[in-house]
Each structure stands twice: as structure tokens, then as C-alpha cells.
Amino acid sequence: MKLPVADLREVRRHTSGLMRSYRGPLTTVAVLHTLAALGGLAGPLILGNLVDAVVAGTTESYVIRVVSIGVAAIVAQAVLIKIAQRKAMVLGESVFAALRERFVETVTSLPLSTVEQAGTGDLVARTTNDVDRIQHAVRFGVPRLIVAVVTILLTVVASFIIAPQVAIAMFVGLPVMIVVTRWYLRRASPAYQREAAAYAALNGTITETVEGARTVDALRLARRRRGRVDDDLREAFDAERATLRLRTVLFPGIDFTFVVAPVAILVWGGYLISTGNVTLGAVTTITMYTFQLAGPVWELIFWLDEIQVAATSLARIIGVELVETDRTPSGEEPDDEHVVARDVRYAYREGQDVLHGIDLDLAVGERLAVVGPSGAGKSTLGRMLAGVHPPTGGSVTVGGVNLVDLPLEDLRGHVALVTQEHHVFVGTLAENLRLADVDADDEALRSALGSVDALTWAEALPDGLATTVGSGGHVLTPAQAQQVALARLVLLDPHTLVLDEATSLLDPRAARHLESSLDAVLTGRTVVAIAHRLHTAHDADRVAVVDGGRIAEIGPHDELVAAGGDYARLWESWQQE
């Protein structure tokens, strides 16, 4: 499954809405740059007047007066540019901040099923490469585009006011510019989308290879993984070469326009001077304006190229907002905390069920252990019971309400899942814990850590709860990170817990001790514990044996052992280890 990419109409709608939100600051920036551009027109105009004055004969006082006006115009332009650039940078930062906050909010609310099926590479590329490209365009591109467009328009208007018959020659290269630009724009968007997708695939391949380095070595997959990376690099290279080919047509075409326009003005202007239709000063002024246009036009073309890249990235980022939700809150409230699964089926791929009509009635306060061979569907069942994925058939309810009909905030107050996968965020240990309860005080944090046997090592950290952990901070061991995840669960305080190998990273003795410590916390709660260590099953009220996506056996430990079935064989083999 691939995350969607927004079409051009959606990108335009999104951009228009964003610009409307910042209409006031955008207008201020445009006005300031317009005034600055007007100051920039003074130099060539003054020079043209001086040329005509010298030809007609002038006085020293006139020259001094004109030069003084020119100096004043330059100073005013410099001041206006400084103010305008500052306003433009503030505008760029504000727009980018809004984009970033909206994107983070969207990403963090994506359905987990979508994230898992799409893979990490594409999402990581959108949150890094694409965001960086938009950041560059918004902070620098938007202000520079405003400057370029305003300067070009005012310069052209001033040229036609001074001598329209000469100004016509400025456009002699325009047909070439239009043809080349249109050719480029038709091909740029798909080319840059291909480039972005290629880098997303490359990021995913490299990330998976690095994260699974031990598995790669163990299974001797290094050559195969290198081949995969080489293939992705080759595609990225080809995509880069395709966009480069577009630029090798665009840039020379624009260069031709800059070369031919001043020549045409001088030739045509010379003829008009000879016929007495214009003055030498007018031709001089418009020639300088033409040279002066080179900078803004190149700025416009450069940012046109960059904006194409940014527009592609924006389409990919907006595409994340187009992901359809996997649940729609119904507004119903559960009557109690009774969790029931009826005829639950689930398929990661259509038509290939991994769960087959599972029925399960969890008594309130019951502890159920789920055991079975690897790949039997235990973790998938746990995700169904926690409401992470909507079942593709049947239902899972709490208090008579489908789990997927509850808002996520309410759902996690009823059912929570802790897996063997965990994450320590960059920040203090206290901030990591308060992800589950933002209002928890330090005493509550210590109590939660104590419940999972983590208080001793937490208080021994350099700054205690204020110690920075995560990337770049104090490195927690995998076992400590898992204890932090369990402490968050304690703070979250749901009524039903699904523990999927939640103590797998602890050694058996420590895991046993931790589970004993958790007993007081788990008392009165419904607990579904998915585990390979069968001492968890021994202590449970009931044991469910999952095999082939079905519940093969269910009942108390002693009854299942006495029955001599699958669980009895698992128990016997586990005791012999």
C-alpha cells in the first residue's frame, strides 16, 4: 500500500487557503517590495535624463541635483529592502510553522493500520526530505518570488511609459521563453514526483537494512540487500538525471532571451534615434532596464524550478491528509467494560484471512493468557481486541459499542495495547511518561515507575526524572525502555489491557518479578496477556490457544493440561526447557 499523493487541484486549493489566511502580512510584504522596486527604477531613469541633458547642454547645479535625487532613491531602496526582507522572513516562518504543525497533527492521527501497510520509508521521506524542501521554498522562495514578480512588472511598465516604441523590443525573445517554459512545466511535475518516490524507496531500503542488520548477517542476505540498495540508487540516479535534462533545456532557453533582448533594443533604438522618434536617453534607460531585468527573471526561473520541487513535496504532504480514516465515531457510550469478540476475521490482504471467525467473551476483571506457535495470529488478535485495526469481519465491542466506533481518546481509556515494540522520545524521562497523562505530578510518575520496578534506576539517572533520554540523550537499555512503556500504561489507567510480549526484553527472572509487581496495578482490570513464557498462562484465569488463526482450546490452565491437547503439549515442552 502506498500513501496517496494530492493532485494539482488539491494542491492549489490548499495553497490558496493558506495564502488567504496570511493575506494581511502578504500584502504588506508586496507593498514594501513594490516601493523598493520603484526606488530601483530611479538609477537608469536618472542616467537617461543626464544623457539627454548632456546632449542638450546642462549646468553643474542640475547634475548635482539629479545625482542627489539618485543617491536618496538608493538609500530609500536599501531601507525599504531591509524592512521588506525582515517582514518576508517572518511571513515565511509563520507559513512554514502552520504547515509543519498541520502536518505533524495529520501524521500523528493516521490510522496505525495505514502506517504499517505503507511502510516506514515513504512516511519518513515525507516527514524529512519533503518537509525540508517546503521549508526552503516557504522561507526563501515565496519572498524572492514576490520581489522578482514586482520588479519585473514595474520595470516593464516604466519602460512603456518612457518609450513604448522602444520597449517593444524587450519582448523579442519572449516567444522562446514561453515555449521553453511551457515545455518544462508539462514535464516537471511527474519527473520530480518520480524523483521523490525514488528517494522514498531508497530511504526505506536503507532503514530496513540498518535496523535488520543482525538478521541480514544471520541469514547471509548482505549481497541481496546491497543489490536492492544498488537498484534503488540506480532509480534515484535515473530520476535525478531526468530532472537535470529538463533544466539543461530550460536554462539555455532563458539565457537566449537575455542575450537577444538588449541587442534588439540597441539596434531598434538606434534606428528610432536616427528617425528622431526617441531620444538617446530613453534608449539608454530602457537598455539598462533590460539588463536590470536579468536578475529578477533569473530569480523567477530559479524559484520556478525550486517551486516545482516544493509543489511535488507539498502534494505528497497534502496526500497524507487524504488517507481515509479507518473508524468513524458513532457517539455511543459503552454501558460497561465488558469486551466481547464475535466472529472476528481479519485479512492483511483481501481474500487471505489470518483470523477465522474468532469468538471471545472476556469477563470483567478476567486475566486471559493467549498462547500458541509463532505466526498463529496471536498479535493480530491482540490488535483486534485493542481496537488498533478494525476487523474485516465480525466485531469487537466494549459495553455493547464497537471499539472502532469510539474516538481514539475514549478508546484508550477503555482498552490499551503494549507491545514488544516501544519508543523513547527525545526529551526528559518525565516528559516521556507524561505522554500518557499530561497532568501527572512527579509523585505520580514515581509511583508508576515503582509499579514496574523502574524507580531505582530512574532515580539513579544523572538528573533523575529530568534526565534527557532518547536520541542524543542518556541511552536507556531495551529493558528500561520497555519499563517506561509499561509505566505509561499505568499512568494511562485503562480498564482493559492487552500485553503483547510486554516483558519480552527482560530476562525471565526479572520478567517474573516485574509481573508480580504489576499484580497490584492489574487487580480489577481485564488483562489479555500474549506470551511465549507459559508461567503467565499458569497464573491466568483462562488460557486461549491460538493456532492457524483460530482458538483451538480455551479454559483454565489445569483443565487444559488434564485434557492432553495442544496446550498440554506446549506446557510439557516448556517445562523441559
Side-chain angles (χ1 to χ4, degrees):
M1 174 182 176
K2 291 184 178 180
L3 293 172
V5 177
D7 58 23
L8 184 58
R9 183 176 62 179
E10 186 67 26
V11 172
R12 286 174 176 169
R13 187 189 66 79
H14 186 280
T15 304
S16 298
L18 196 63
M19 291 300 102
R20 283 194 299 270
S21 301
Y22 292 89
R23 184 179 300 164
L26 191 61
T27 301
T28 301
V29 170
V31 169
L32 287 170
H33 278 301
T34 299
L35 294 174
L38 285 172
L41 296 176
L45 182 60
I46 289 171
L47 181 59
N49 287 334
L50 281 176
V51 169
D52 285 340
V54 169
V55 171
T58 187
T59 62
E60 181 179 349
S61 61
Y62 175 79
V63 173
I64 292 174
R65 186 168 65 254
V66 171
V67 170
S68 298
I69 294 173
V71 171
I74 292 172
V75 171
Q77 182 189 25
V79 173
L80 286 169
I81 287 176
K82 180 176 178 59
I83 298 173
Q85 286 179 340
R86 186 180 185 281
K87 293 285 187 182
M89 290 299 292
V90 171
L91 172 64
E93 292 293 338
S94 300
V95 173
F96 176 65
L99 279 172
R100 180 172 51 193
E101 290 170 5
R102 180 171 173 175
F103 179 62
V104 169
E105 182 179 350
T106 301
V107 168
T108 53
S109 61
L110 281 176
L112 184 57
S113 56
T114 299
V115 175
E116 290 181 340
Q117 292 176 31
T120 58
D122 192 11
L123 192 56
V124 167
R126 297 189 192 213
T127 54
T128 53
N129 296 349
D130 291 325
V131 168
D132 286 343
R133 288 167 179 165
I134 292 178
Q135 170 183 321
H136 182 61
V138 169
R139 286 177 172 171
F140 304 105
V142 172
R144 297 310 303 167
L145 275 175
I146 294 173
V147 174
V149 171
V150 168
T151 302
I152 291 169
L153 289 176
L154 289 179
T155 303
V156 170
V157 169
S159 298
F160 273 91
I161 291 174
I162 293 168
Q165 60 271 55
V166 179
I168 292 174
M170 297 174 67
F171 300 97
V172 67
L174 187 60
V176 174
M177 180 184 291
I178 292 174
V179 170
V180 170
T181 303
R182 285 175 60 86
W183 178 89
Y184 170 80
L185 291 177
R186 282 198 302 269
R187 293 162 175 78
S189 184
Y192 284 116
Q193 285 185 9
R194 176 192 174 191
E195 181 182 87
Y199 278 109
L202 179 61
N203 284 342
T205 300
I206 293 175
T207 300
E208 291 168 359
T209 302
V210 172
E211 290 179 350
R214 292 183 179 179
T215 302
V216 170
D217 287 342
L219 299 179
R220 298 180 181 179
L221 298 175
R223 179 177 297 178
R224 185 182 302 176
R225 297 305 298 181
R226 282 198 300 271
R228 178 78 174 271
V229 171
D230 288 343
D231 290 342
D232 289 347
L233 279 171
R234 193 174 297 109
E235 169 60 16
F237 176 80
D238 290 341
E240 283 274 16
R241 187 166 57 182
T243 58
L244 178 60
R245 188 180 302 115
L246 296 179
R247 293 192 290 274
T248 58
V249 174
L250 176 67
F251 292 163
I254 304 303
D255 275 336
F256 171 79
T257 303
F258 292 149
V259 170
V260 74
V263 173
I265 289 173
L266 289 174
V267 172
W268 177 239
Y271 169 75
L272 292 176
I273 291 172
S274 68
T275 59
N277 289 306
V278 296
T279 65
L280 177 60
V283 174
T284 302
T285 299
I286 295 176
T287 301
M288 291 191 66
Y289 279 161
T290 304
F291 280 112
Q292 199 167 279
L293 275 178
V297 171
W298 260 123
E299 190 93 45
L300 185 64
I301 297 302
F302 171 79
W303 283 109
L304 178 66
D305 187 60
E306 291 294 310
I307 292 298
Q308 285 295 315
V309 177
T312 300
S313 294
L314 183 60
R316 287 165 53 78
I317 286 178
I318 296 173
V320 177
E321 298 182 10
L322 303 179
V323 174
E324 295 183 3
T325 181
D326 62 351
R327 65 195 70 216
T328 303
S330 64
E332 296 181 75
E333 294 289 337
D335 296 328
D336 51 36
E337 299 295 345
H338 186 195
V339 177
V340 179
R342 289 282 182 263
D343 192 29
V344 172
R345 298 184 301 281
Y346 189 75
Y348 290 100
R349 295 182 179 179
E350 188 175 353
Q352 299 181 21
D353 286 355
V354 294
L355 296 180
H356 307 276
I358 288 182
D359 293 316
L360 189 60
D361 191 327
L362 296 173
V364 176
E366 176 185 17
R367 295 195 185 185
L368 174 73
V370 179
V371 300
S374 297
K378 302 188 300 298
S379 294
T380 303
L381 174 59
R383 290 172 180 270
M384 298 297 106
L385 296 176
V388 173
H389 298 314
T392 50
S395 65
V396 181
T397 62
V398 58
V401 179
N402 281 320
L403 292 183
V404 293
D405 288 343
L406 295 172
L408 283 176
E409 296 79 5
D410 294 344
L411 173 61
R412 293 297 161 245
H414 293 283
V415 186
L417 170 71
V418 174
T419 71
Q420 55 192 330
E421 301 170 359
H422 49 269
H423 186 73
V424 177
F425 294 88
V426 176
T428 66
L429 178 59
E431 289 170 342
N432 267 268
L433 294 171
R434 287 194 177 100
L435 290 172
D437 183 0
V438 295
D439 298 321
D441 56 22
D442 286 353
E443 190 57 37
L445 301 185
R446 290 190 178 89
S447 176
L449 289 169
S451 299
V452 296
D453 277 354
L455 185 58
T456 300
W457 64 257
E459 291 185 331
L461 293 174
D463 297 312
L465 295 178
T467 301
T468 299
V469 295
S471 178
H474 182 88
V475 179
L476 300 182
T477 66
Q480 289 172 337
Q482 198 161 45
Q483 286 174 302
V484 170
L486 290 170
R488 290 193 197 114
L489 186 65
V490 173
L491 290 166
L492 188 62
D493 195 29
H495 187 276
T496 300
L497 305 176
V498 180
L499 308 178
D500 186 0
E501 302 288 352
T503 59
S504 63
L505 297 180
L506 303 175
D507 65 73
R509 184 177 300 176
R512 184 68 169 161
H513 181 62
L514 171 58
E515 288 167 2
S516 298
S517 301
L518 278 171
D519 276 346
V521 177
L522 300 180
T523 299
R525 303 177 194 272
T526 306
V527 179
V528 177
I530 301 169
H532 288 295
R533 294 167 178 165
L534 294 192
H535 60 71
T536 301
H538 179 274
D539 297 339
D541 298 319
R542 285 193 299 167
V543 180
V545 181
V546 177
D547 192 9
R550 295 179 171 84
I551 294 181
E553 293 180 306
I554 187 168
H557 166 81
D558 292 338
E559 290 184 9
L560 293 182
V561 171
D566 292 338
Y567 179 73
R569 288 188 288 274
L570 282 172
W571 178 256
E572 182 179 355
S573 62
W574 185 77
Q575 283 188 311
Q576 293 174 355
E577 291 180 357

